[in-house]
Amino acid sequence: MSVSDVPPAATTDSNPRESWGSRFGFIMATAGFAVGLGAIWRFPYLVSENGGGAFVLVYIVISVLVGIPLFIAELMLGRRTQKGPILGMRELTRSGNPFRAIGWLGTLSALLIMSYYVVILGFMVGYFVMSLTGTFSAGTTAEQISTTYSAFTANTPAIVAATVGIIAVTGLIISRGLKEGIERSTKFLMPLLLILLIGLTVYSLLQPGAAKGVAWYLTPDFSLITGEVILAALGQAFFAIGIGVATAFIFGSYLDREKSQVPGDSVSIVGVNTLIAILAGLIIFPAIRSYGLTEAEGPGLVFQTMPNVFARIPGGFIVGPVFFLLVLIAGLTSAIGYSEGIAGSLRELTGWSRRRASWATVGAILVLAVPSMLSYGGNGPLSDVIIAGKNLFTWADFISGSILMPLGALLIIVFVALFFGFNRYREEANRGAGAIRVQGWWKPLVVVVIPLAVAVIMVTGLLPQ
């Protein structure tokens, strides 16, 4: 099964393969894909359940030791083959090799993730509009906000309209091309996201009593670092970076094999992703503790707890729309990345034009999103359809996030560690690298620690909750 005799693939398409216009554009597009909604509400929710500063410290350490080498691996494979994950793994393996499943698993996982991800983004559109029109104005009670949430989850036409709008915008961006669509949009959206985050962070830190929230958030209590906390941080770091869903592989395939700096860029991308998660916590926890509120779980943190904050803080009628806009931007940049991973593989398999493959991709996402749109929140027409104890929305989340995504990532790291080989991984990743390079002491991480970590995440995700 050695791949030492497999040469780097050449592009055989009649049209030359697209490439990134700039290193900055590549970093912004890939960081945008990695950030997603999880950095804004999933990370703070996990922090609130797992010891505050203790969880933050473990998360940062794991992002560096596990996340960066794993992200380098997928980018490196894409750059080496100059193809997406399906055809790229065909180049690196012989017929019948089980590692060819990597590309198919990643693409299918991305498709399933997008089937419910766009529905959450549709909710963000709805809440952005409601915050602009004063739904969460001063004096709004917690009961009224809860009623608003229940009413919106039952408003199927509004959910459908907002979700279709998000899908259409995503399709328009990826159909315009790598440089003119994906790179141009994310070069604007990601700096805007960072500006909004920093602005809201400063505002939150100026609230009375904010210091107590910051101290709890950033001061680690080492007695709270348990196996459960480490496992939660491992899972968040892994899923936040976005390995095993075709996108990092295909984004890497657009890189110049001799001039791009995979290790340095990977550090930048994971660094931006971690920074945004930390800033999100600095917005949420000081503000929540300043007004004596309790964090809600998962989506409730965005849709119920934060509107309560905006109804109480000075200038909430401005801060609320800005907050929902930044969450919407984070989700949109991630949706662009997921969709390009799917569309890129479809183009290579069919020979279709970018425009045709892009609209076929978002069309498939729309069809698959229908069950999630009709089952989210427990109030939709299909909310009573249950598969293995889960409604259609949570079932899509479980299959993609707990099975397909970690399985694809596990196959990638096992392939790199045992068949591609650490020496080849190091040599290929360091081609064109600058000051930041894969080092020899990484070998135990790549060959032993990371495969075990990913396997633990997958097994844990399959265990009964």
Side-chain angles (χ1 to χ4, degrees):
M1 291 188 183
S2 172
V3 295
S4 60
D5 58 340
V6 180
T11 302
T12 57
D13 300 33
S14 57
N15 297 318
R17 188 169 187 81
E18 294 177 280
S19 61
W20 298 104
S22 67
R23 185 183 182 191
F24 176 74
F26 162 68
I27 291 174
M28 288 296 97
T30 313
F33 151 68
V35 169
L37 296 176
I40 306 296
W41 58 259
R42 190 175 188 268
F43 174 76
Y45 147 61
L46 288 173
V47 169
S48 69
E49 282 204 338
N50 291 281
F55 178 88
V56 174
L57 176 63
V58 175
Y59 172 77
I60 292 173
V61 171
I62 289 176
S63 293
V64 172
L65 295 182
V66 177
I68 290 175
L70 191 52
F71 198 74
I72 288 173
E74 191 164 359
L75 280 181
M76 175 271 296
L77 291 176
R79 187 183 68 168
R80 176 182 170 82
T81 61
Q82 296 290 285
K83 287 180 169 60
I86 295 175
L87 295 191
M89 291 310 299
R90 287 183 186 176
E91 293 285 348
L92 293 173
T93 59
R94 296 182 175 86
S95 179
N97 191 301
F99 289 102
R100 290 193 171 192
I102 288 171
W104 293 102
L105 285 170
T107 305
L108 179 58
S109 178
L111 193 57
L112 277 178
I113 288 171
M114 282 296 291
S115 74
Y116 67 85
Y117 199 86
V118 290
V119 179
I120 300 177
L121 287 178
F123 267 68
M124 294 300 171
V125 171
Y127 267 67
F128 173 65
V129 172
M130 286 190 285
S131 64
L132 277 177
T133 56
T135 300
F136 311 121
S137 58
T140 305
T141 66
E143 291 74 17
Q144 289 172 322
I145 290 172
S146 180
T147 299
T148 298
Y149 178 72
S150 298
F152 191 77
T153 59
N155 189 346
T156 301
I159 294 173
V160 171
T163 302
V164 169
I166 286 293
I167 293 173
V169 169
T170 303
L172 180 63
I173 290 173
I174 65 171
S175 69
R176 289 179 60 84
L178 186 66
K179 295 177 183 177
E180 294 301 314
I182 298 170
E183 188 170 346
R184 175 175 288 185
S185 63
T186 51
K187 283 169 71 173
F188 167 74
L189 291 172
M190 284 301 292
L192 176 60
L193 172 64
L194 286 168
I195 291 170
L196 294 176
L197 274 166
I198 293 170
L200 286 185
T201 298
V202 172
Y203 184 89
S204 180
L205 293 177
L206 292 176
Q207 299 304 304
K212 292 182 179 179
V214 174
W216 175 85
Y217 177 48
L218 296 181
T219 304
D221 181 347
F222 293 98
S223 67
L224 297 178
I225 299 179
T226 64
E228 184 177 353
V229 169
I230 294 173
L231 185 61
L234 185 66
Q236 173 64 12
F238 171 66
F239 292 115
I241 294 169
I243 302 297
V245 289
T247 300
F249 202 117
I250 206 157
F251 275 16
S253 75
Y254 299 139
L255 290 169
D256 185 286
R257 190 164 183 261
E258 302 298 331
K259 298 178 181 178
S260 55
Q261 302 182 34
V262 167
D265 291 349
S266 297
V267 170
S268 298
I269 291 161
V270 175
V272 169
N273 182 55
T274 304
L275 173 64
I276 289 175
I278 299 298
L279 289 176
L282 285 174
I283 293 170
I284 292 171
F285 293 116
I288 287 176
R289 279 163 173 72
S290 292
Y291 295 91
L293 298 172
T294 303
E295 303 93 340
E297 179 177 318
L301 183 62
V302 170
F303 298 128
Q304 293 180 280
T305 300
M306 294 312 295
N308 268 295
V309 172
F310 305 141
R312 288 163 172 77
I313 61 176
F317 66 96
I318 296 175
V319 177
V322 172
F323 176 82
F324 285 112
L325 177 62
L326 75 86
V327 178
L328 185 58
I329 290 172
L332 179 60
T333 56
S334 191
I336 292 168
Y338 281 120
S339 300
E340 174 62 16
I342 303 164
S345 294
L346 183 59
R347 289 198 308 274
E348 292 180 347
L349 288 170
T350 62
W352 289 353
S353 67
R354 168 175 280 277
R355 185 177 298 274
R356 183 179 181 185
S358 297
W359 289 110
T361 294
V362 297
I365 290 170
L366 176 60
V367 171
L368 290 176
V370 170
S372 291
M373 284 189 282
L374 301 182
S375 63
Y376 183 82
N379 296 313
L382 298 181
S383 59
D384 292 331
V385 178
I386 304 298
I387 300 176
K390 305 177 187 299
N391 66 26
L392 297 176
F393 181 95
T394 54
W395 182 84
D397 182 20
F398 173 76
I399 294 297
S400 58
S402 297
I403 299 178
L404 296 181
M405 187 177 179
L407 179 58
L410 181 61
L411 288 175
I412 288 172
I413 197 60
V414 170
F415 173 77
V416 167
L418 301 182
F419 297 93
F420 195 83
F422 175 79
N423 290 338
R424 187 168 294 275
Y425 162 80
R426 180 183 178 186
E427 175 187 350
E428 188 66 35
N430 287 341
R431 185 184 295 271
I436 300 175
R437 306 174 69 86
V438 174
Q439 304 297 325
W441 63 264
W442 290 28
K443 186 171 183 177
L445 285 174
V446 174
V447 176
V448 179
V449 175
I450 297 176
L452 288 177
V454 177
V456 167
I457 294 172
M458 182 175 178
V459 172
T460 303
L462 294 175
L463 292 176
Q465 302 297 313

